[in-house]
Amino acid sequence: MFYLTRQTAFEASHYSRLPELSDAENYELFGAAANPNSHGHNYVLEVMVKGDLDTDDGMVINLTTLDALLKTEVVANYDHKHLNKQHPVFSKNPRLQPTCENITIEIWQRLAPCLPDGLLHRVRLYESSARFADYYGDDMMVYLTKVYEFSAAHRLHSHALSDEDNRDIFGKCNNPAGHGHNYVLEVTVKGDVDAKTGLVAGLNLLDEAVEKQVYTRFDYKHLNLDTPEFETLNPTSENFVKVLWDVLEPNLQPVVLHRLRLRETPKNHFDYYGESS
């Protein structure tokens, strides 16, 4: 089985508002996206297809065919459009919010009938570099990811090892004075898209949880010296991503936390799906 990803882009504006809610309630639910004057994005779309190779041409699908489909079904309906007013689906149903989640599902529904059965594997839509949604055609289940960055110092040192062993294992990362990173944290939640709001989670929920549980605890801190979580626990990124899960997961409920990805450097990142995975 081979997986091929093709990317395209479009520019569009929209707003998210429920007419029965006040301005304050809309802003509480949708954040700045509730601005009735609209806002816009440079959307980036990734379409992943899967299948066996054609024995004649050695491809999963001809890229020319896929590009033509993206042009007619996606770009023509989204690019340089106001989605609430000009999109053929969202404009006819003002109750259907053109959120990242709903747009991702709508694009899947456009593309799937035009491709051989089972060929379309995933649609990923980047609303920005820090927010994207994944859809796999599974009813209304969408995976929503937001990306955060924070700064911290640490020293890799295990109290279960001798000083010599710590130096041998962790090398320069065992420097007693410590060193630091600009950590990048991807928070992925999953769930059915709410039919009323078009959201998997309120737009402020993830930001507020990360602000309280991550930034307040760890941003501009020395993990070994400033945080109780690492008084005795070696702050490897493997341990750190689990600690982040443990402080975030209870504070996101009933939204389901699916995955955390902690990027320590451009060369390495660490994924954690919880103990039940």
Side-chain angles (χ1 to χ4, degrees):
M1 183 72 69
F2 294 84
Y3 293 79
L4 179 151
T5 300
R6 194 66 166 171
Q7 187 179 96
T8 190
F10 56 90
E11 302 165 19
S13 60
H14 71 103
Y15 56 80
S16 294
R17 293 181 67 86
L18 296 175
E20 67 271 20
L21 299 183
S22 67
D23 273 354
E25 290 171 326
N26 271 301
Y27 277 98
E28 176 66 24
L29 180 61
F30 295 111
N35 176 13
N37 295 320
S38 307
H39 66 287
H41 299 285
N42 293 323
Y43 290 95
V44 176
L45 175 69
E46 291 183 358
V47 174
M48 181 182 289
V49 297
K50 66 178 181 180
D52 296 324
L53 298 185
D54 184 281
T55 55
D56 294 327
D57 61 28
M59 294 187 290
V60 175
I61 186 174
N62 190 307
L63 289 180
T64 301
T65 302
L66 186 55
D67 285 345
L69 179 61
L70 294 176
K71 183 177 180 179
T72 58
E73 294 300 324
V74 178
V75 176
N77 289 296
Y78 282 93
D79 192 39
H80 286 79
K81 300 291 177 66
H82 190 295
L83 302 183
N84 304 76
K85 300 175 181 179
Q86 297 177 306
H87 187 274
V89 172
F90 296 113
S91 63
K92 292 179 181 178
N93 184 2
R95 304 290 307 179
L96 184 63
Q97 302 296 320
T99 59
C100 189
E101 294 95 319
N102 275 339
I103 296 171
T104 306
I105 293 174
E106 201 279 332
I107 290 174
W108 175 287
Q109 292 171 342
R110 284 186 171 277
L111 296 178
C114 303
L115 293 167
D117 188 44
L119 186 67
L120 186 57
H121 177 64
R122 185 192 73 192
V123 169
R124 170 175 287 183
L125 182 66
Y126 287 89
E127 192 175 72
S128 70
S129 60
R131 189 172 189 272
F132 60 91
D134 291 318
Y135 183 61
Y136 295 84
D138 183 15
D139 296 325
M140 297 293 287
M141 174 71 73
V142 170
Y143 298 79
L144 179 69
T145 300
K146 291 204 71 174
V147 183
Y148 302 89
E149 185 171 333
F150 62 96
S151 303
H154 69 158
R155 178 197 186 197
L156 297 188
H157 187 88
S158 171
H159 295 291
L161 301 173
S162 68
D163 288 348
E164 183 179 0
D165 286 340
N166 272 292
R167 287 191 295 269
D168 288 343
I169 293 171
F170 300 116
K172 61 184 179 181
C173 293
N174 184 241
N175 172 19
H179 65 285
H181 300 286
N182 288 324
Y183 289 98
V184 177
L185 177 67
E186 293 186 8
V187 181
T188 301
V189 297
K190 67 178 180 179
D192 291 338
V193 176
D194 185 276
K196 182 178 180 180
T197 66
L199 301 171
V200 170
L203 292 181
N204 292 328
L205 176 66
L206 297 184
D207 291 347
E208 291 174 357
V210 170
E211 176 67 35
K212 293 178 181 178
Q213 305 303 328
V214 178
Y215 289 158
T216 300
R217 278 183 161 96
F218 305 114
D219 193 28
Y220 280 81
K221 301 289 178 65
H222 191 300
L223 300 182
N224 309 70
L225 304 178
D226 295 328
T227 68
E229 290 84 2
F230 294 104
E231 284 182 356
T232 59
L233 183 66
N234 191 17
T236 62
S237 286
E238 292 92 331
N239 278 332
F240 196 7
V241 73
K242 183 182 185 302
V243 166
L244 291 168
W245 179 284
D246 290 342
V247 299
L248 277 174
E249 193 274 338
N251 290 282
L252 291 174
Q253 296 178 5
V255 175
V256 178
L257 183 57
H258 173 65
R259 186 201 70 179
L260 291 183
R261 169 171 290 176
L262 184 65
R263 190 175 299 278
E264 185 182 62
T265 74
K267 294 182 178 180
N268 58 334
H269 64 258
F270 304 81
D271 291 346
Y272 188 65
Y273 292 82
E275 292 294 341
S276 60
S277 298

